Amino acid sequence: MSSEKVAQLVTLTEADLADEEDIVTSAGLLQATRDIYLQRAAFDFSQAFFRVRGYDSSNGLVLLNGISMNKFADGRPQWSNWGGLNDVTRNQEFTLGLKSSKHAFGGLLGINNINTRPSILRPGLRLSSSISNRTYAGRLMTTFNSGKSENGWSYSASGSRRWAKNGFIDGTLYDAYSAYCSLEFDYNDKNTVHLTAILASNRRGRSSAITEEVFDLVGKKYNPYWGIQNGKIRNSRERKIREAMMILNHYHASEKFNLNTGIAYQFGIEARSRLGYYDAPNPDPTYYRYLPSFYLNSPIGANLFNAALAREGFLINPQIFWADLYASNRVRELNGRAAYILYEDIIERDVFSLNSTGRLQFNQALELNFGISFRKTHSKNYARIRDLLDAEMHLDVDPFSNTKNDLKGSLEKVTGDLFNYNYILGAKEIRGFLQVRASKSKWDTSISGNIVATSYFRKGLFLNERYPENSLGESERIQFSNFNLKGGVTYRISGRHWVAAHAMMLNRAPFYQNVYVNPREHNGSVPNIKSEKISSVDVNYYLRLPDLIARVTGFYSRFQRGTDINFFFVDSGLGSDFVQEVLTDLDKLHMGIEMGMKCQISSSVNLTLAASVGRYLYANNPEIQINFDPSDPEIELKANEGKLDLGKANLKNLKLGQGPQKALSFGLEYRDPKYWWIGATANYLAHNYASISSIQRTRSFYLNPESGQAFPEATPENVSKLLRQRKMDDFYLLNITAGKSWRKKGKYISIFANVNNVFDVSYRSGGYEQSRNGNYAQLARDNLSGSPSFAPKYWYGFGRTYFLNLAINF
């Protein structure tokens, strides 16, 4: 079956999130801290997509010289915007969780401010080279810092190159480069002007989650997205981000008053390629009809002979066969029309930011922090044909409804043309915060408030035949106004023991990816959408002894009135459709305990212990609505012009797919007086769950689509067994690090080595249930053989990997 609809929106599903290594985990946000627990979370637990307190990175604020780097679309920072510039972004100030910060109000996960001022970087030239078998195979970096001259000038420049023909996962090329330059001038003892420019480009081949059936056939390194063309690996799904930014700051610093004012402009492009197919077989080698399970789960009974043939055929050629795609496009009956094309989903975006934060020190005991910021973005979103694969043209129509995607444009599209969808998303945000911090001999207190005004709009550039009334032109503005409050108190029992507690009440506008139901086709937004309400508290105990430091924290966070939009292909039993699933009034609960400890056993040996035990779950049964094209003839449930309310989804007390909810690390490190060291950490990760399918937990799942009555066999016991949430296996990982440094003739030489997963353990790092089977009978039949065609899909962690770095400082 032709499946353009599936192809055009998969990039927005949860399944695709794990492809972006710098947004799924919080590792980047946590590298600025010396806290033992957070270090283990960043460098050891993150191998399994562990998330501190179960939060994703949208709950942490990342600043570059005081300017927010969190994206409007999903609230997450994009670390690849300065990837490879480690030497000049290492000066970071991290504030954990709900603690007060002088830079901003912050979020649940804290604030990380990256400072790129040349005057605080170590003067000299640094060269480094790395080899690895993870995402990239090689890396070169060079950095020069001038130091501050007598007349107040300082400057810095840095560049890096990272590459791999193939990463740890098959077919995952890596090609990235970054450049940085910065100039600073102290024009008197209180005022400084600072200019920073960064260009970063990252191109990589993507990989896919796979079912257990596929894993058993071809293993954890398998990736269905690539094939061989002219003797070379060609990945059909590449992701490229190329963005530049310029930031101009003015700093004023005096004994009583500090002010940082910055203006920034960021622009660039993000492109994701994929294969489109039209009245042609699906080119994905893991398509369910090509696998043995399709024949084992046949409605007319298992066909073992054909299942064996499918298994043999898949093992012989488990990759994309590019030559067949070209040959299909050359078939005369097509009259030059493409059966297959390679196209790109592209986002061209720019962000303008203005920010000013200050500190007023009344006396040693009382401090006032304040700030105001403005951000505006426009992102142009469209699909562009990258390669017609020897066809002459592509017909820009929806293959399900045979309607035009652009009534005012040409029907025939060629390489380089925009097709399928074309629209602009815009957003504005104004923030202001005020904070008072007071200190006494044993007490520290703080209280903070902020006001946030957010607005969104969509502007359609194509007149879509399926939505003639609201696809073209600008939508109404969707606006949110929120007030937030947080506070904290610290009590020092003594110089070695203290306790702290913090609380926050936060109202957060939904990110615009959860505002518009189907922005590629029309202006429609989620009805009566509300800001998300978040309440959170944490209680901390700190211990500081000469040979022992420790922190224990208990936390509780409740997310209410959330909105979530997902896209998937569903089969109701009477018809199939690519739908938009909208969950509203969604509540989630995060609570648990985390602990980190470091013990200095001797002058050379230290021991570390880190642990986290959490419960991250759905706290209510949200409302669910399904949206689909009203002109689509395949599905018969055409209620309310392409909308169908399914009522509540029974999600309460199910676990969130937010990474391992239990983690433990034990580490031992030896540092020799002759400047070499070696360390090892043993890590245990457990209670990791696959993300659930919401639609399979609604009342419609129980109903026979032919009669409208409940399936007799859909008893609570049978349904509970069929829909039990998948818990992934617990596992252990051993990681080893070592290093050595020398000082030779004024040069500082260092070498660092790391081996992760020493015993090459196979483990699932994440996963999700498929939503294809829309009712009980279909799902039960699919599971009857024990090898379902639409089983959950999983990502598998890397096996044994290494990283080796050599650096020379002049």
Side-chain angles (χ1 to χ4, degrees):
M1 174 183 283
S2 174
S3 187
E4 182 185 16
K5 286 189 178 181
V6 177
Q8 74 180 24
L9 281 169
V10 168
T11 54
L12 299 181
T13 65
E14 173 142 7
D16 202 51
L17 293 179
D19 182 64
E20 173 57 273
E21 64 179 358
D22 54 8
I23 63 178
V24 172
T25 73
S26 306
L29 185 66
L30 305 176
Q31 291 177 7
T33 178
R34 294 179 179 271
D35 184 276
I36 296 302
Y37 167 75
L38 295 179
Q39 286 185 352
R40 292 291 171 260
F43 298 107
D44 293 281
F45 299 160
S46 63
Q47 296 174 79
F49 293 134
F50 176 84
R51 302 179 183 185
V52 172
R53 303 182 187 180
Y55 308 144
D56 65 39
S57 57
S58 66
N59 290 288
L61 180 62
V62 175
L63 308 174
L64 199 59
N65 299 332
I67 302 290
S68 175
M69 294 290 109
N70 294 61
K71 300 295 185 183
F72 277 101
D74 55 18
R76 293 165 170 161
Q78 192 165 272
W79 288 84
S80 62
N81 285 160
W82 52 92
L85 299 175
N86 308 46
D87 292 342
V88 294
T89 59
R90 64 177 68 252
N91 289 299
Q92 303 178 22
E93 182 180 340
F94 178 73
T95 303
L96 172 63
L98 308 181
K99 292 176 65 176
S100 63
S101 169
K102 64 183 180 181
H103 298 291
F105 183 81
L108 297 176
L109 194 55
I111 299 174
N112 191 13
N113 184 50
I114 302 172
N115 191 336
T116 66
R117 295 176 66 173
S119 61
I120 63 175
L121 298 174
R122 182 180 181 272
L125 176 65
R126 176 181 169 85
L127 304 175
S128 69
S129 176
S130 307
I131 58 173
S132 178
N133 68 335
R134 297 174 188 171
T135 54
Y136 58 78
R139 182 183 72 179
L140 294 173
M141 291 197 304
T142 179
T143 302
F144 178 77
N145 303 314
S146 68
K148 185 184 290 187
S149 66
E150 293 182 358
N151 57 9
W153 288 93
S154 55
Y155 62 90
S156 179
S158 183
S160 76
R161 179 82 167 81
R162 293 164 289 163
W163 68 91
K165 291 184 178 180
N166 209 20
F168 186 87
I169 303 297
D170 291 341
T172 54
L173 66 90
Y174 198 100
D175 182 16
Y177 61 85
S178 306
Y180 152 97
C181 60
S182 189
L183 182 66
E184 183 178 356
F185 176 54
D186 296 345
Y187 59 88
N188 59 40
D189 59 354
K190 294 182 179 180
N191 294 280
T192 301
V193 177
H194 173 212
L195 177 65
T196 297
I198 294 175
L199 171 65
S201 177
N202 187 302
R203 171 176 165 252
R204 59 184 303 184
R206 295 158 57 203
S207 60
S208 172
I210 57 177
T211 62
E212 187 175 1
E213 176 187 17
V214 174
F215 171 81
D216 290 340
L217 289 170
V218 285
K220 62 188 174 187
K221 288 189 176 184
Y222 174 70
N223 176 16
Y225 289 160
W226 65 275
I228 298 295
Q229 182 179 1
N230 297 326
K232 296 181 180 180
I233 291 175
R234 186 181 186 184
N235 193 316
S236 65
R237 300 205 185 186
E238 292 184 0
R239 181 171 187 255
K240 183 177 182 179
I241 301 176
R242 179 178 294 168
E243 294 192 333
M245 74 176 82
M246 297 188 69
I247 305 175
L248 178 65
N249 291 90
H250 172 266
Y251 304 97
H252 173 86
S254 63
E255 184 178 351
K256 296 291 186 179
F257 180 68
N258 288 359
L259 185 68
N260 173 15
T261 300
I263 184 171
Y265 182 65
Q266 184 177 8
F267 61 95
I269 190 170
E270 177 179 351
R272 298 178 186 236
S273 66
R274 61 185 304 117
L275 284 169
Y277 51 102
Y278 309 89
D279 296 321
N282 191 326
D284 182 354
T286 61
Y287 182 54
Y288 78 102
R289 290 177 176 270
Y290 305 154
L291 296 174
S293 59
F294 175 73
Y295 299 96
L296 297 177
N297 300 316
S298 172
I300 60 175
N303 188 324
L304 299 180
F305 179 75
N306 282 344
L309 289 179
R311 181 182 187 276
E312 182 180 356
F314 179 77
L315 291 175
I316 291 173
N317 190 11
Q319 305 303 147
I320 293 174
F321 202 58
W322 287 98
D324 279 0
L325 307 186
Y326 281 86
S328 296
N329 280 350
R330 290 191 290 264
V331 174
R332 292 182 180 180
E333 287 78 3
L334 294 176
N335 296 319
R337 176 171 53 89
Y340 297 98
I341 64 171
L342 184 70
Y343 70 94
E344 294 176 311
D345 293 309
I346 294 178
I347 303 174
E348 290 183 29
R349 57 181 162 229
D350 62 79
V351 183
F352 172 80
S353 304
L354 181 63
N355 182 80
S356 185
T357 56
R359 176 184 63 86
L360 184 61
Q361 190 79 44
F362 295 103
N363 51 52
Q364 290 185 346
L366 186 62
E367 177 183 308
L368 178 70
N369 304 110
F370 58 90
I372 186 169
S373 66
F374 170 78
R375 289 198 301 156
K376 181 177 76 171
T377 186
H378 278 76
S379 67
K380 186 177 181 183
N381 304 259
Y382 56 87
R384 182 173 65 193
I385 298 175
R386 179 172 165 179
D387 191 343
L388 282 171
L389 307 179
D390 275 0
E392 295 179 8
M393 55 83 181
H394 166 66
L395 289 181
D396 191 16
V397 297
D398 177 75
F400 286 80
S401 58
N402 199 33
T403 55
K404 295 180 181 179
N405 295 317
D406 181 16
L407 280 171
K408 294 187 176 182
S410 172
L411 183 63
E412 297 184 358
K413 305 286 186 175
V414 297
T415 300
D417 283 353
L418 276 57
F419 79 112
N420 204 350
Y421 66 91
N422 186 11
Y423 67 95
I424 292 172
L425 282 178
K428 290 182 181 179
E429 178 188 82
I430 301 175
R431 289 178 176 264
F433 93 99
L434 190 66
Q435 176 174 273
V436 178
R437 298 199 287 188
S439 300
K440 291 291 185 181
S441 58
K442 285 185 172 291
W443 294 88
D444 290 331
T445 59
S446 67
I447 185 167
S448 312
N450 87 329
I451 298 175
V452 186
T454 309
S455 67
Y456 302 128
F457 75 90
R458 177 194 182 271
K459 182 178 180 180
L461 303 178
F462 278 0
L463 178 60
N464 190 300
E465 188 175 3
R466 297 178 296 285
Y467 298 92
E469 296 182 355
N470 68 340
S471 57
L472 184 66
E474 189 168 318
S475 69
E476 294 183 358
R477 303 271 170 162
I478 300 175
Q479 299 181 336
F480 304 90
S481 296
N482 294 305
F483 173 74
N484 307 302
L485 190 67
K486 76 174 182 179
V489 59
T490 300
Y491 176 66
R492 288 180 287 275
I493 303 170
S494 69
R496 295 180 174 180
H497 306 265
W498 69 93
V499 293
H502 310 91
M504 172 187 282
M505 296 293 296
L506 181 69
N507 293 284
R508 182 172 66 184
F511 306 119
Y512 69 52
Q513 71 174 16
N514 289 322
V515 171
Y516 295 98
V517 175
N518 186 4
R520 295 187 173 184
E521 297 190 346
H522 60 81
N523 288 339
S525 61
V526 176
N528 303 314
I529 192 168
K530 300 175 182 178
S531 292
E532 187 175 23
K533 181 181 178 181
I534 304 171
S535 53
S536 182
V537 296
D538 66 50
V539 179
N540 309 266
Y541 167 71
Y542 298 89
L543 174 65
R544 293 292 185 271
L545 299 177
D547 297 324
L548 177 66
I549 59 173
R551 174 178 65 87
V552 180
T553 297
F555 60 90
Y556 176 96
S557 297
R558 178 74 177 262
F559 297 75
Q560 296 173 281
R561 303 189 313 206
T563 302
D564 190 26
I565 298 178
N566 299 294
F567 304 85
F568 51 83
F569 196 89
V570 66
D571 187 347
S572 68
L574 291 179
S576 302
D577 202 10
F578 190 73
V579 302
Q580 301 91 49
E581 175 192 75
V582 181
L583 274 72
T584 55
D585 192 28
L586 176 62
D587 291 6
K588 300 177 183 179
L589 183 63
H590 295 239
M591 58 184 176
I593 297 174
E594 61 190 26
M595 183 270 289
M597 181 190 74
K598 181 177 181 180
C599 179
Q600 195 74 38
I601 298 176
S602 70
S603 60
S604 301
V605 179
N606 66 65
L607 179 150
T608 60
L609 181 66
S612 174
V613 178
R615 291 190 67 213
Y616 318 136
L617 46 85
Y618 291 96
N620 77 331
N621 295 322
E623 299 288 336
I624 183 170
Q625 182 185 88
I626 296 298
N627 295 257
F628 40 82
D629 290 345
S631 58
D632 191 339
E634 288 201 33
I635 191 165
E636 296 187 7
L637 298 174
K638 294 302 181 202
N640 194 23
E641 297 183 350
K643 299 179 183 178
L644 182 65
D645 289 318
L646 299 182
K648 293 186 179 294
N650 295 314
L651 306 186
K652 188 174 182 179
N653 294 325
L654 292 176
K655 302 296 192 300
L656 296 170
Q658 296 288 94
Q661 301 193 15
K662 181 181 290 185
L664 177 66
S665 177
F666 175 81
L668 194 63
E669 182 183 73
Y670 173 78
R671 288 189 174 272
D672 193 86
K674 295 183 178 180
Y675 304 106
W676 64 269
W677 59 275
I678 187 170
T681 58
N683 306 281
Y684 171 68
L685 295 115
H687 294 191
N688 195 2
Y689 295 86
S691 297
I692 55 91
S693 166
S694 300
I695 194 173
Q696 292 178 347
R697 290 166 173 85
T698 63
R699 64 188 181 195
S700 66
F701 181 75
Y702 293 79
L703 302 180
N704 186 327
E706 296 182 353
S707 66
Q709 302 297 315
F711 292 103
E713 61 272 24
T715 64
E717 181 181 0
N718 287 341
V719 172
S720 177
K721 182 179 179 181
L722 193 62
L723 294 180
R724 69 185 185 280
Q725 191 171 15
R726 275 77 171 177
K727 176 178 175 290
M728 286 170 261
D729 293 337
D730 306 338
F731 57 92
Y732 297 86
L733 297 176
L734 177 66
N735 302 327
I736 296 177
T737 58
K740 173 76 169 111
S741 61
W742 301 266
R743 189 172 182 85
K744 300 287 186 180
K745 298 180 180 180
K747 301 179 182 66
Y748 182 78
I749 304 171
S750 63
I751 187 170
F752 170 82
N754 165 249
V755 179
N756 279 351
N757 193 2
V758 172
F759 296 116
D760 198 24
V761 175
S762 291
Y763 62 93
R764 295 168 177 169
S765 58
Y768 63 96
E769 296 177 352
Q770 297 193 69
S771 297
R772 176 65 177 260
N773 292 309
N775 62 57
Y776 173 84
Q778 289 175 305
L779 188 61
R781 184 173 62 242
D782 193 30
N783 280 268
L784 197 60
S785 70
S787 180
S789 298
F790 299 103
K793 288 191 172 184
Y794 298 102
W795 289 278
Y796 289 85
F798 291 171
R800 185 186 301 110
T801 61
Y802 65 86
F803 177 82
L804 179 65
N805 182 75
L806 173 66
I808 305 175
N809 290 288
F810 296 88

